[in-house]
């Protein structure tokens, strides 16, 4: 059974395509990547990253820390 995406609204179609194409379909998937890794995806800009960051913070989560 496929998981239904639970990406926050407002991130835009290019970023949504980039995230889902890279396998980030659920909010918790973003905890496995650094913000820089996500920013390198074609179609992902500062607005999309801000929306994801804020959604993670609401759940008490963050992007993967940089080493």
């Amino acid at each position: 059974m496929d998981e239904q995406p639970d990406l926050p609204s407002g991130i835009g179609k290019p970023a949504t395509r980039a995230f889902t194409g890279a396998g980030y379909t659920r909010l918790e998937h973003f905890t496995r990547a650094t913000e820089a890794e996500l920013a390198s995806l074609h179609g992902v800009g500062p607005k999309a990253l801000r929306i994801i960051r804020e959604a993670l913070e609401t759940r008490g989560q963050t992007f993967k820390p940089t080493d």
Side-chain angles (χ1 to χ4, degrees):
M1 183 173 176
D2 292 330
E3 292 181 344
Q4 289 293 325
D6 78 341
L7 300 178
S9 62
I11 63 172
K13 289 182 182 181
T16 298
R17 282 192 297 270
F19 289 145
T20 58
Y24 301 102
T25 58
R26 313 254 332 136
L27 193 56
E28 62 267 14
H29 295 165
F30 293 95
T31 63
R32 301 178 197 151
T34 66
E35 193 166 343
E37 290 169 332
L38 297 168
S40 71
L41 297 173
H42 180 74
V44 176
K47 177 183 173 187
L49 292 173
R50 178 183 50 79
I51 291 170
I52 296 294
R53 186 182 319 107
E54 290 172 354
L56 287 170
E57 287 173 356
T58 299
R59 293 185 179 185
Q61 299 174 314
T62 63
F63 295 115
K64 177 182 167 185
T66 55
D67 295 327

